[in-house]
Amino acid sequence: MAARIPAAFIRGGTSKAIVFHARDLPADRTAWDAIFLRAMGSPDPYGRQLDGMGGGVSSLSKVCVVGAPSVDGADVDYTFAQVQVKKASVDYRGNCGNMSSAIGPFAVDEGLVQVRDGMAQVRIHNTNTHKIIRASFPVRGGRSVSEGDLTIPGVHGTGAPVRLDFLEPGGASTGRLLPTGRALDEIELPEGRFRASLVDAANACVFVDAAQLGLAGTELPEVLGAHTQAMALLARLRLEASVMMSIAATPELALAIDAIPMIALVSSPRDSTTLDGQCIPAGDADLVVRMLSNGQPHNALPLTGSLCTGVAMQIEGSLPQQLSRRGRGGEGLRLAMPSGVLTVAADVRRAGGGWHAASGAFYRTTRRLFEGAVCL
């Protein structure tokens, strides 16, 4: 194993990751896990990753690998790795939507894609989900522009807008937009039967009604994380849903799959409070969402989970559709979350007696924070 590997440290949306060139990593991908774990400082039983680049939470313990495209119609390949904090585990089963915003600018700045000044487009093939993401962003002097006026919830300051269009996002994890064939299911546990919508767009997600778990749905992450009974119940619901979605054969095997499915608490529009103490009036949102991934409540929302939520809000009979404010269409769906309000576009249509997700879109910002070499 090399002692130093060239890399960049980049913020994408509300996440941060080490970004490697594929050419600088071993051709044998079985060697990647050890490199990524060492670089991030995992496993760390203290949960802080002080001996690595990780930040002790899932949104700050990520790795991206960018290389030449392996499919027609793409400009680059992008592989996402979720590095667990306390476990010696690296999960490649899902994608990170936030870090997807960094890949197009990285590809241009590193000379992997040649573009003209102005608004550039880079077509990104995410190897985890085998889906294409189209990134549009400004370029000046042959390099991506990071300075701009766009603010996004959860990130202080402003930046240049990066538009991400997820093309044909349905079935990214399981091959089907509705893995069970239904918009609404019931999950049976010793505690009772719980309504849930199991939807797979950009990443597989499980949506449950916060009220059915005895929650308001507006709890901040620290409060939700300290609610041991609710967290244990959500964990069991996720494992059962994993089996129903054919992600794992048994709940025991699902325990080893940390990244997917994500699980979300949804509730109808109501006043809520952000992490910085600001009030989100009920009228400013179409749905209130609290999402967990890798067993942790998120301070913001994972972008892939947000896209999946937007898609689910357009599917008649799903929990997000039932609980959301009606009549807004799919262009400006407003999701209230702990860091503010995230707006997502989702193009969902009826097709052949079922449902089809044509695309989903967001705006993010990104910034290169450091470049050099990761020391192993």
Side-chain angles (χ1 to χ4, degrees):
M1 184 185 298
R4 296 164 59 89
I5 302 178
F9 193 52
I10 302 177
R11 177 187 62 80
T14 54
S15 293
K16 289 193 286 189
I18 300 173
V19 184
F20 292 107
H21 282 274
R23 67 192 182 212
D24 293 325
L25 294 173
D28 180 4
R29 286 187 50 162
T30 62
W32 287 13
D33 284 15
I35 293 171
F36 299 166
L37 289 165
R38 178 64 173 160
M40 278 293 162
S42 294
D44 183 354
Y46 301 105
R48 300 182 65 190
Q49 294 176 305
L50 287 177
D51 200 37
M53 296 289 289
V57 294
S58 61
S59 59
L60 307 179
S61 187
K62 301 173 182 283
V63 172
C64 303
V65 181
V66 184
S70 60
V71 298
D72 292 336
D75 298 308
V76 291
D77 271 6
Y78 149 55
T79 300
F80 171 67
Q82 180 68 61
V83 181
Q84 299 305 309
V85 175
K86 294 185 177 182
K87 299 193 298 184
S89 174
V90 182
D91 199 322
Y92 301 92
R93 293 174 183 264
N95 179 26
C96 175
N98 275 291
M99 285 312 306
S100 297
S101 66
I103 304 307
F106 177 84
V108 168
D109 294 346
E110 296 293 312
L112 297 175
V113 178
Q114 303 300 318
V115 297
R116 296 180 178 178
D117 283 6
M119 285 302 295
Q121 281 194 356
V122 174
R123 291 174 62 90
I124 302 160
H125 170 231
N126 175 242
T127 65
N128 308 78
T129 60
H130 307 291
K131 299 292 184 178
I132 297 292
I133 305 163
R134 186 174 61 229
S136 305
F137 52 92
V139 171
R140 184 169 58 244
R143 293 186 63 85
S144 65
V145 177
S146 60
E147 298 79 15
D149 298 325
L150 179 64
T151 60
I152 62 172
V155 178
H156 178 69
T158 64
V162 179
R163 180 182 169 104
L164 295 174
D165 289 275
F166 288 72
L167 309 181
E168 302 291 337
S173 304
T174 67
R176 300 182 68 188
L177 177 62
L178 296 176
T180 67
R182 297 177 293 273
L184 187 64
D185 283 282
E186 283 193 336
I187 301 177
E188 187 168 359
L189 293 177
E191 293 87 348
R193 300 176 69 89
F194 297 86
R195 298 190 306 156
S197 289
L198 315 182
V199 184
D200 179 8
N203 267 333
C205 293
V206 183
F207 299 95
V208 296
D209 186 348
Q212 201 175 3
L213 275 68
L215 299 170
T218 58
E219 290 82 1
L220 290 176
E222 185 176 354
V223 175
L224 181 57
H227 197 312
T228 55
Q229 183 178 354
M231 290 292 290
L233 182 55
L234 286 165
R236 291 196 297 274
L237 286 168
R238 192 188 81 85
L239 296 179
E240 293 294 334
S242 182
V243 176
M244 294 171 67
M245 300 173 90
S246 299
I247 293 171
T250 66
E252 291 74 23
L253 291 174
L255 275 170
I257 305 173
D258 296 292
I260 58 169
M262 299 176 183
I263 189 161
L265 291 163
V266 291
S267 54
S268 56
R270 62 195 65 195
D271 292 354
S272 59
T273 303
T274 63
L275 288 164
D276 62 355
Q278 300 297 310
C279 175
I280 303 174
D284 288 356
D286 302 308
L287 189 70
V288 180
V289 188
R290 298 293 186 261
M291 192 164 285
L292 287 73
S293 68
N294 300 283
Q296 296 177 320
H298 265 261
N299 286 343
L301 287 182
L303 265 201
T304 51
S306 302
L307 188 150
C308 194
T309 305
V311 168
M313 290 167 71
Q314 304 299 298
I315 297 175
E316 187 175 337
S318 75
L319 270 179
Q321 187 267 342
Q322 292 180 35
L323 295 173
S324 65
R325 194 182 308 278
R326 309 294 180 87
R328 286 184 57 85
E331 274 303 312
L333 302 168
R334 302 167 302 172
L335 309 180
M337 60 173 182
S339 294
V341 177
L342 175 66
T343 302
V344 57
D347 182 1
V348 183
R349 312 163 188 172
R350 285 192 177 273
W355 294 91
H356 173 70
S359 65
F362 310 87
Y363 283 95
R364 298 278 87 184
T365 62
T366 182
R367 189 166 81 88
R368 184 179 292 227
L369 305 174
F370 184 83
E371 58 188 18
V374 173
C375 298
L376 304 174

